[in-house]
């Protein structure tokens, strides 16, 4: 089942899911979702728990491959290229489509090494100076550099929750991704740290395409340009955020965002 | 009305706004009605009551504003809820203005009383005011019942008020031309008529806001404008539709 209400089509599409169906074993988690992720925009995926929004997000960089019994059908493209094609290098795909998780998960390494990890394994730099530069640039993009520049070799796990989350964003940025997927990146953070991340998201979309799953309606309304509403594994409605949060077309969207079911 | 929120107190807060609007609406309507009665029956006491009753609307409008701001701060309302709240703020401002119109009419009672008062002046004014007040009652009922059908019916009838205003304007001009002693009362009555016409405009505003609350879109404004008073008494008078 696809959305009844045909959405405003984004002008430039970075990623596209066509008729995406996902099974976890016998349980069907997504029922033929067709959804565009607009380039250099923030697309928010909203909906009650179990609606399939995180499942859809995880399809976008094949994180579902790591889940036993998960089966993905349909077509997902990145710049028109099928990311489930047999010749796709999944490691390279995940460098192009990075991910930030709900709980900050820095490696048990120094701040520097957390950020340098990706560029090192992907062989992106020729020497230490280049690596230093990438680490600094990434930390700056993530709005963390000034806070940690004097202690780059301290443990990443010693930072505050909000700082750790920005470190994870820096780590994702370090491999020059094109798309950043965020799965409730602020749910473990206080309001100030949340505001910093939201400010960062706004900044990042100049250079990256972002898809974010969030349970906070207000956050979706604040940070995104497009919003997709999921329910029971289907896409209910996708449209411009300013429309979705002021006059959604679908009753289920309205009920959900106004707190009438959930 | 959409079904209830998971958080019941949110429903109570929204219902409170609606009820307060309904109260304001009844009060504003009564004020306008009694003001016209005071003029027609030359009742100073009634006029004073109308003037004194205006503060109720001022206070109610302030209360709605405060409650609405508090709900926005506490609940971060979205979609239809947000429209309800913003709509309540707008409607209460229209109702407060209707009260001011009533007060302005009431204030003229004494001035008209001191002049020569030919009774025939009042018939059209009474019919005119009942037309405008009926529109107001309908729009308030449409808002209360959230009936888009009823709201749209109100919008379509606004031109009747404009047309009748034009005719009263013409009538009063005629009386003034007939006898200069009529100029003072007729000028006051002209202002009364203008105020009643404004009541009709506010009723139309409320209808538009109510439609916005219900649908999320403002109705397209293609209503014919029946107010042709802009050219009355000039060489262009009577040459078809006056433009705005």
């Amino acid at each position: 089942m696809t959305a009844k209400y045909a959405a405003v089509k984004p002008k430039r599409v970075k990623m596209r899911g066509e008729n995406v169906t996902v099974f976890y074993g016998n349980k069907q988690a997504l029922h033929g979702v067709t959804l565009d992720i607009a380039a250099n925009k923030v697309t928010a995926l909203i909906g009650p728990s179990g609606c399939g929004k995180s499942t859809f997000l995880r399809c976008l960089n094949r994180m579902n491959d790591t889940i036993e019994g998960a089966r993905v059908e349909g077509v997902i493209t990145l710049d028109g290229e099928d990311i489930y094609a047999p010749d796709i290098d999944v490691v390279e795909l995940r460098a192009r489509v990075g991910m930030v998780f709900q709980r900050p998960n820095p490696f048990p390494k120094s701040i520097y090494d957390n950020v340098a990890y990706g560029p090192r394994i992907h062989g992106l730099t020729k020497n230490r100076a280049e690596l230093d530069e990438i680490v600094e640039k990434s930390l700056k993009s993530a709005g963390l550099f000034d806070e940690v520049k004097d202690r780059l070799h301290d443990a990443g796990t010693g930072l505050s929750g909000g700082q750790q989350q920005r470190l994870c964003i820096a780590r994702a940025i370090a491999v020059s991704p094109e798309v950043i997927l965020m799965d409730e990146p602020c749910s473990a953070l206080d309001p100030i740290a949340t505001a910093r991340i939201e400010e960062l998201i706004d900044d990042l979309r100049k250079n990256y395409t972002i898809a974010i799953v969030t349970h906070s309606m207000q956050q979706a309304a604040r940070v995104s340009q497009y919003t997709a509403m999921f329910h029971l594994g289907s896409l209910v409605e996708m449209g411009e955020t300013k429309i979705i949060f002021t006059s959604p077309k679908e009753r289920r969207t309205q009920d959900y965002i106004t707190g009438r079911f959930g | 009305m959409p079904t209830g929120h998971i958080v019941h107190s949110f429903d109570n807060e929204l219902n409170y706004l609606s009820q307060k609007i309904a109260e304001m609406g009844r009060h504003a309507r009564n004020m306008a009605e009694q003001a016209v009665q005071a003029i027609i029956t030359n009742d100073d006491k009634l006029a004073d009551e109308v003037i004194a009753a205006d503060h109720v609307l001022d206070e109610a409008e302030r209360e709605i504003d405060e409650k609405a701001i508090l709900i926005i701060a506490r609940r971060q309302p979205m979609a239809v809820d947000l429209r309800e709240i913003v709509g309540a703020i707008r409607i209460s401002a229209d109702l407060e203005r209707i009260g001011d119109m009533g007060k302005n009419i009431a204030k003229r009672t004494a001035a008209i009383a001191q002049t020569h008062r030919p009774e025939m002046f009042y018939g059209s004014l009474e019919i005119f005011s009942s037309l405008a007040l009926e529109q107001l009652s309908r729009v308030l009922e449409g808002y209360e019942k959230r009936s888009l059908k009823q709201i749209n019916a109100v919008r379509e009838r606004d031109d009747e008020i404009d047309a009748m205003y034009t005719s009263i304007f013409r009538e009063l001009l005629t009386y003034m031309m007939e006898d200069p002693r009529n100029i003072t009362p007729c000028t006051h009555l002209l202002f009364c008529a203008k105020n009643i016409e404004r009541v009709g405009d506010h009723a139309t505003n409320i209808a538009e806001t109510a439609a916005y609350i219900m649908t999320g879109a403002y109705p397209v404004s293609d209503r014919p404008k029946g107010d042709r008073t802009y050219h009355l008494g000039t060489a262009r008078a009577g040459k078809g539709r006056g433009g705005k």
Side-chain angles (χ1 to χ4, degrees):
Chain A
M1 191 178 85
T2 50
K4 271 192 286 173
Y5 176 64
V8 196
K9 285 277 167 205
K11 277 195 197 114
R12 285 191 305 125
V13 174
K14 185 69 187 175
M15 295 197 80
R16 168 171 288 157
E18 272 177 52
N19 209 16
V20 178
T21 296
V22 176
F23 293 88
Y24 294 124
N26 290 325
K27 193 185 174 299
Q28 188 168 0
L30 274 187
H31 301 259
V33 169
T34 296
L35 178 62
D36 289 346
I37 306 293
N40 293 102
K41 302 278 184 209
V42 179
T43 303
L45 311 182
I46 63 167
S49 294
C51 67
K53 58 192 187 298
S54 293
T55 295
F56 183 82
L57 192 79
R58 285 199 298 265
C59 290
L60 298 177
N61 72 346
R62 295 184 55 173
M63 289 296 282
N64 284 327
D65 291 15
T66 63
I67 296 169
E68 193 160 343
R71 197 166 89 245
V72 178
E73 292 168 7
V75 181
I76 297 170
T77 58
L78 172 62
D79 288 333
E81 192 187 350
D82 182 357
I83 64 168
Y84 282 82
D87 60 336
I88 286 287
D89 175 351
V90 179
V91 175
E92 195 217 337
L93 169 72
R94 291 188 191 136
R96 292 176 69 191
V97 184
M99 191 150 189
V100 176
F101 297 87
Q102 185 168 2
R103 293 210 159 261
N105 54 350
F107 301 134
K109 290 168 179 287
S110 71
I111 295 167
Y112 184 97
D113 287 337
N114 260 282
V115 183
Y117 182 82
R120 275 183 183 136
I121 63 161
H122 288 286
L124 299 181
T125 55
K126 288 194 286 290
N127 53 48
R128 179 75 187 200
E130 271 184 32
L131 191 59
D132 286 352
E133 198 188 329
I134 287 188
V135 169
E136 182 175 334
K137 211 177 124 217
S138 305
L139 285 169
K140 276 183 175 160
S141 302
L144 187 62
F145 186 70
D146 288 341
E147 292 162 57
V148 300
K149 63 184 172 199
D150 301 322
R151 47 176 171 142
L152 288 176
H153 297 285
D154 290 3
T157 47
L159 297 170
S160 75
Q163 288 172 328
Q164 286 189 21
Q165 195 59 304
R166 279 179 283 149
L167 178 61
C168 293
I169 293 173
R171 186 176 65 190
I173 293 170
V175 292
S176 304
E178 296 157 49
V179 181
I180 303 174
L181 310 177
M182 298 184 173
D183 195 351
E184 295 187 54
C186 300
S187 62
L189 304 184
D190 76 8
I192 307 283
T194 299
R196 292 231 168 83
I197 301 284
E198 288 181 5
E199 166 74 9
L200 180 58
I201 290 172
D202 211 34
D203 223 35
L204 291 174
R205 83 177 158 90
K206 289 174 202 129
N207 300 311
Y208 308 96
T209 293
I210 296 172
I212 178 171
V213 162
T214 174
H215 274 144
S216 160
M217 298 305 111
Q218 283 71 34
Q219 180 169 65
R222 285 192 301 260
V223 304
S224 70
Q225 288 74 51
Y226 291 98
T227 297
M229 161 76 189
F230 286 73
H231 186 224
L232 301 175
S234 297
L235 180 69
V236 174
E237 180 170 5
M238 144 82 176
E240 283 186 90
T241 296
K242 61 183 180 192
I243 304 287
I244 297 281
F245 287 103
T246 55
S247 32
K249 300 289 176 289
E250 293 292 328
R251 174 65 184 268
R252 277 187 292 173
T253 310
Q254 170 126 301
D255 285 352
Y256 181 64
I257 64 173
T258 58
R260 288 178 166 88
F261 79 72
Chain B
M1 277 281 260
T3 50
H5 290 88
I6 298 165
V7 180
H8 289 304
S9 53
F10 190 5
D11 287 332
N12 297 341
E13 288 167 11
L14 290 177
N15 287 339
Y16 181 84
L17 284 185
S18 279
Q19 281 162 16
K20 200 76 198 169
I21 293 283
E23 269 172 43
M24 273 187 90
R26 282 191 293 274
H27 193 88
R29 189 192 184 286
N30 284 346
M31 276 181 70
E33 190 169 31
Q34 287 172 356
V36 173
Q37 275 311 307
I39 294 269
I40 292 168
T41 60
N42 194 13
D43 185 341
D44 280 344
K45 199 168 150 279
L46 186 59
D48 288 342
E49 279 172 26
V50 171
I51 295 166
D54 188 45
H55 77 100
V56 175
L57 290 182
D58 295 346
E59 280 157 27
E61 188 198 9
R62 213 168 302 134
E63 195 194 331
I64 286 175
D65 277 5
E66 282 166 10
K67 284 274 192 302
I69 284 172
L70 197 62
I71 299 174
I72 293 170
R74 286 173 66 185
R75 311 279 184 197
Q76 291 98 47
M78 293 282 192
V80 67
D81 297 336
L82 185 56
R83 301 201 303 269
E84 278 279 347
I85 295 162
V86 173
I89 294 173
R90 295 197 52 177
I91 292 174
S92 75
D94 279 311
L95 292 173
E96 192 275 331
R97 289 298 295 155
I98 289 174
D100 288 346
M101 299 299 150
K103 187 175 168 184
N104 187 291
I105 293 170
K107 279 179 173 172
R108 296 178 191 279
T109 305
I112 297 174
Q114 286 159 16
T115 61
H116 167 79
R117 286 175 57 96
E119 294 306 319
M120 62 182 174
F121 293 3
Y122 300 99
S124 323
L125 193 70
E126 195 170 15
I127 297 167
F128 184 41
S129 83
S130 55
L131 180 67
L133 292 175
E134 194 192 318
Q135 283 281 87
L136 179 61
S137 298
R138 282 191 183 156
V139 72
L140 290 169
E141 201 185 307
Y143 167 78
E144 221 169 330
K145 291 188 193 156
R146 299 292 185 274
S147 160
L148 193 60
K149 206 176 138 200
Q150 207 161 336
I151 291 292
N152 285 336
V154 173
R155 293 186 58 246
E156 276 155 24
R157 292 192 59 191
D158 185 51
D159 55 326
E160 285 178 35
I161 293 186
D162 288 342
M164 183 139 188
Y165 174 58
T166 308
S167 119
I168 287 189
F169 193 105
R170 212 172 254 151
E171 187 183 339
L172 292 171
L173 278 188
T174 313
Y175 297 147
M176 290 192 244
M177 283 185 262
E178 278 170 9
D179 183 345
R181 285 176 304 168
N182 289 342
I183 290 176
T184 304
C186 285
T187 305
H188 281 295
L189 290 173
L190 207 49
F191 277 111
C192 291
K194 181 68 196 169
N195 283 331
I196 293 166
E197 189 259 345
R198 296 292 302 153
V199 169
D201 286 347
H202 285 294
T204 308
N205 282 351
I206 295 171
E208 283 167 4
T209 305
Y212 174 71
I213 292 172
M214 285 178 250
T215 63
Y218 278 99
V220 194
S221 188
D222 54 357
R223 291 180 295 108
K225 294 281 188 268
D227 178 357
R228 296 176 188 174
T229 58
Y230 293 90
H231 303 293
L232 283 183
T234 69
R236 288 178 63 189
K239 284 187 184 165
R241 214 178 127 182
K244 268 204 174 174

